[in-house]
């Protein structure tokens, strides 16, 4: 099955938009200086045409189940996209562009870029995971610290409509810690979601 999967994805994985040494250094400085926690935005992240194809596949081929807890209200794709060829081979066959984007995110070149920008140390490709979520109107993921086991870096790749803007919502909000160690009641920074960022 692996050979069939690879042949269907025959085109090489799209690379993250290339950055020269000066751009990497600028992103690294932005990351280190960002408040209240280190963060940076890469835009554009992936080739637009490839990402459009991946978005079409995600919308038309993936099934997302409604999940609600005290932390989130979201539609979540049940398969880890990192292992989808083994977990759901029939579904993987229907999403070659999505898997090419995944492969680009998992690629050694991408890991090296993230390692340089963040200074996080070596990223183990066997400890990477990738999920897909849909936030409908009223959907949310509440404030949390994202500290999970040995996680070095978290990322979000937005597949929103290309004309999505600030009024459409979906901001990624960052909260500073108060003196008591708890998050402040209001965000101190907002990253507005935008296509391919």
């Amino acid at each position: 099955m692996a050979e069939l999967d690879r042949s269907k994805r025959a085109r090489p994985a799209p690379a993250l938009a290339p950055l020269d040494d000066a751009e990497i250094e600028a992103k690294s400085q932005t990351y280190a200086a960002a408040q209240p926690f280190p963060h940076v935005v890469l835009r554009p992240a992936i080739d637009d045409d490839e990402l459009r194809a991946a978005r079409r596949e995600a919308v038309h081929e993936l099934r997302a189940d409604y999940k609600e807890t005290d932390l989130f209200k979201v539609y979540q794709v049940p398969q880890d996209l990192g292992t989808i060829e083994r977990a759901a081979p029939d579904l993987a066959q229907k999403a070659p562009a999505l898997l090419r984007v995944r492969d680009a995110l998992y690629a050694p070149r991408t890991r090296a870029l993230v390692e340089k920008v963040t200074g996080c140390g070596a990223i183990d490709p066997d400890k990477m995971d990738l999920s897909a979520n849909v936030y409908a109107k009223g959907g949310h993921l509440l404030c949390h610290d994202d500290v999970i086991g040995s996680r070095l870096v978290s990322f979000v790749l937005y597949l929103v409509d290309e004309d999505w803007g600030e009024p459409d919502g979906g901001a990624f909000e960052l909260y500073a810690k108060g003196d008591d160690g708890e998050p402040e009641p209001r965000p101190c920074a907002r990253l507005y979601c935008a296509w391919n960022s």
Side-chain angles (χ1 to χ4, degrees):
M1 182 57 87
E3 289 306 312
L4 184 56
D5 290 341
R6 291 188 197 289
S7 68
K8 189 156 184 185
R9 298 195 318 261
R11 285 190 294 178
L16 258 66
L19 299 176
D20 63 29
D21 289 342
E23 291 170 315
I24 290 171
E25 180 59 28
K27 290 291 184 187
S28 183
Q29 289 177 13
T30 298
Y31 175 84
Q35 293 295 320
F37 307 105
H39 61 275
V40 68
V41 175
L42 298 177
R43 185 180 297 143
I46 299 281
D47 173 76
D48 274 327
D49 290 335
E50 191 70 58
L51 203 59
R52 284 182 195 106
R55 182 180 192 272
R56 276 191 300 276
E57 291 172 0
V59 169
H60 296 291
E61 301 298 342
L62 300 182
R63 186 193 88 248
D65 300 325
Y66 182 73
K67 306 267 183 170
E68 184 173 359
T69 70
D70 58 345
L71 182 63
F72 57 79
K73 186 189 303 186
V74 64
Y75 287 88
Q76 190 172 59
V77 173
Q79 295 86 9
D80 175 353
L81 298 180
T83 59
I84 197 167
E85 290 94 341
R86 289 190 309 267
D90 292 342
L91 180 57
Q93 290 290 318
K94 297 175 185 176
L98 190 61
L99 296 184
R100 285 192 299 271
V101 168
R102 186 236 14 226
D103 293 348
L105 294 171
Y106 279 34
R109 180 176 162 201
T110 302
R111 293 194 314 271
L113 173 64
V114 172
E115 291 163 2
K116 285 180 188 176
V117 169
T118 67
C120 68
I123 298 172
D124 182 346
D126 294 328
K127 293 186 177 179
M128 295 175 67
D129 59 85
L130 182 66
S131 64
N133 298 306
V134 177
Y135 293 89
K137 187 172 183 175
H140 60 270
L141 175 59
L142 296 179
C143 183
H144 62 284
D145 63 14
D146 231 16
V147 176
I148 299 174
S150 61
R151 181 177 288 171
L152 298 176
V153 176
S154 295
F155 71 92
V156 175
L157 176 59
Y158 288 108
L159 300 179
V160 295
D161 294 337
E162 291 188 56
D163 62 352
W164 193 275
E166 184 179 326
D168 296 311
F172 190 96
E173 297 177 329
L174 300 172
Y175 293 79
K177 281 186 186 177
D179 294 336
D180 60 358
E182 294 297 317
E184 293 288 342
R186 297 203 187 315
C188 63
R190 281 189 177 92
L191 305 174
Y192 292 97
C193 57
W195 166 255
N196 200 359
S197 65

